[in-house]
Amino acid sequence: MSQFGSARLYRSDVGLLERTYFRLFGLADPSHFIRSHCFRRFTNSLRPSKILDAGCGAADYTFFMAEQWPQAHVHALDVDKAQILKNQDTLRRMKPKNIDFGCQDITSLAESETYDFITCIDALEHIEDQTAVLRNFHRAMKTEGVLYLHIPLVRPRPVPFSKHLHSMDEWSEHEHIAPMRTKEDILKMVEEAGLRVSRWQYTFAYHAGELACSSFALFHDDTTMNRIAQLFLSPITRMLAYLELATTRTDRTEGFALALLARKV
């Protein structure tokens, strides 16, 4: 079975402490842990052949999908050229044959009837013209192609420990240039782009996933002491992450983010 996040063992920017923890326990960061499990639940029945990872970032999902679906080819795009160069370096180290990276703004995506699966995970909030991107996805997808989207929502209330997370809030306000939207807003945008939503789910409940992430983020500055503190805290945040994953199977009326699956018909 493919292990999500295994590219960390090859990335030049991941230190020995984090690599050792990953070998023993898997992902330490609860946000990555929760999102990856949600992704697998939504997509485990798919068998795609041509995949677009739109806004791939550090390419965790790119490398996971390439291993999970070896019959598929994964085309991964991001606007950050420096990040793409890092991903290409990791690609050379890992040596999978079914991945290629490109530096491109997905607002200019012009392909047509190309992909049977597109992922866009925590990327759309960084783009002002979200409607154009969703229309680009629709055009780029084959008929019956599938889109998996994960996106943060307008906050139903302040996050846990919000008064101690000012720098994280400042980063979010700077990076998340699109208006924060409700679940209803997102579903409407996706449907208006010509896609039919087949499944959706709130993620990151206040007392589960969001509490885990906020606790972990208290030590977000990149220092050795903070990394050690996060590792000691990780058993607690892992329990909260499992609570999050357990409660997502029930009817949830609130969450700080949304996962959805939509199909081109």
Side-chain angles (χ1 to χ4, degrees):
M1 181 179 177
S2 305
Q3 184 180 17
F4 183 88
S6 59
R8 283 166 167 72
L9 300 176
Y10 298 87
R11 281 168 43 187
S12 59
D13 60 336
V14 175
L16 178 62
L17 188 64
E18 186 176 348
R19 291 186 189 191
T20 302
Y21 184 94
F22 181 83
R23 290 182 187 277
L24 294 173
F25 306 111
L27 293 167
D29 188 329
S31 63
H32 295 304
F33 183 84
I34 291 166
R35 278 194 294 267
S36 66
H37 277 263
C38 186
F39 174 79
R40 282 179 279 192
R41 285 181 179 177
F42 269 63
T43 64
N44 60 7
S45 64
L46 301 179
R47 296 295 181 270
S49 60
K50 190 70 180 292
I51 301 169
L52 172 64
D53 190 358
C56 64
D60 277 329
Y61 290 89
T62 305
F63 288 108
F64 173 77
M65 291 187 291
E67 185 177 359
Q68 179 79 358
W69 297 307
Q71 80 286 352
H73 183 85
V74 186
H75 182 47
L77 296 176
D78 200 278
V79 73
D80 186 339
K81 185 175 182 179
Q83 184 61 67
I84 290 296
L85 291 173
K86 290 179 182 178
N87 294 344
Q88 290 172 334
D89 179 64
T90 305
L91 181 64
R92 285 189 289 269
R93 295 166 186 256
M94 293 184 70
K95 301 179 180 178
K97 304 297 184 184
N98 57 338
I99 295 174
D100 72 90
F101 288 102
C103 184
Q104 183 180 344
D105 186 335
I106 56 176
T107 61
S108 64
L109 185 70
E111 292 167 285
S112 180
E113 297 281 333
T114 303
Y115 304 101
D116 49 15
F117 184 42
I118 296 178
T119 65
C120 186
I121 300 169
D122 282 28
L124 203 59
E125 66 274 15
H126 299 273
I127 299 170
E128 193 166 8
D129 195 351
Q130 297 172 327
T131 299
V133 171
L134 290 170
R135 288 174 178 164
N136 289 348
F137 289 165
H138 178 270
R139 185 181 59 253
M141 292 164 65
K142 299 176 182 178
T143 303
E144 295 299 319
V146 173
L147 168 69
Y148 177 81
L149 179 67
H150 190 276
I151 183 170
L153 299 173
V154 61
R155 291 175 176 175
R157 55 178 129 170
V159 300
F161 312 121
S162 57
K163 65 181 181 180
H164 302 295
L165 295 171
H166 295 304
S167 60
M168 291 291 289
D169 285 340
E170 289 172 0
W171 176 89
S172 178
E173 289 178 8
H174 175 73
E175 290 290 326
H176 296 176
I177 63 174
M180 300 303 287
R181 304 182 188 277
T182 65
K183 177 258 295 182
E184 289 76 17
D185 293 335
I186 300 297
L187 296 182
K188 182 180 179 183
M189 279 202 311
V190 171
E191 295 275 357
E192 288 179 347
L195 301 168
R196 181 178 297 170
V197 177
S198 58
R199 181 180 177 185
W200 64 266
Q201 177 181 290
Y202 283 117
T203 59
F204 292 91
Y206 183 87
H207 290 107
E210 196 60 37
L211 179 57
C213 294
S214 292
S215 301
F216 201 78
L218 290 171
F219 306 96
H220 71 275
D221 288 336
D222 191 10
T223 67
T224 300
M225 290 305 298
N226 276 351
R227 290 290 171 262
I228 293 172
Q230 286 178 332
L231 295 182
F232 276 105
L233 186 63
S234 60
I236 297 172
T237 58
R238 179 63 58 86
M239 286 190 292
L240 289 168
Y242 280 127
L243 176 62
E244 163 80 20
L245 295 170
T247 57
T248 54
R249 295 181 180 275
T250 66
D251 291 333
R252 178 182 287 174
T253 59
E254 181 182 280
F256 283 73
L258 179 73
L260 68 83
L261 212 61
R263 189 176 295 274
K264 180 178 179 178
V265 294

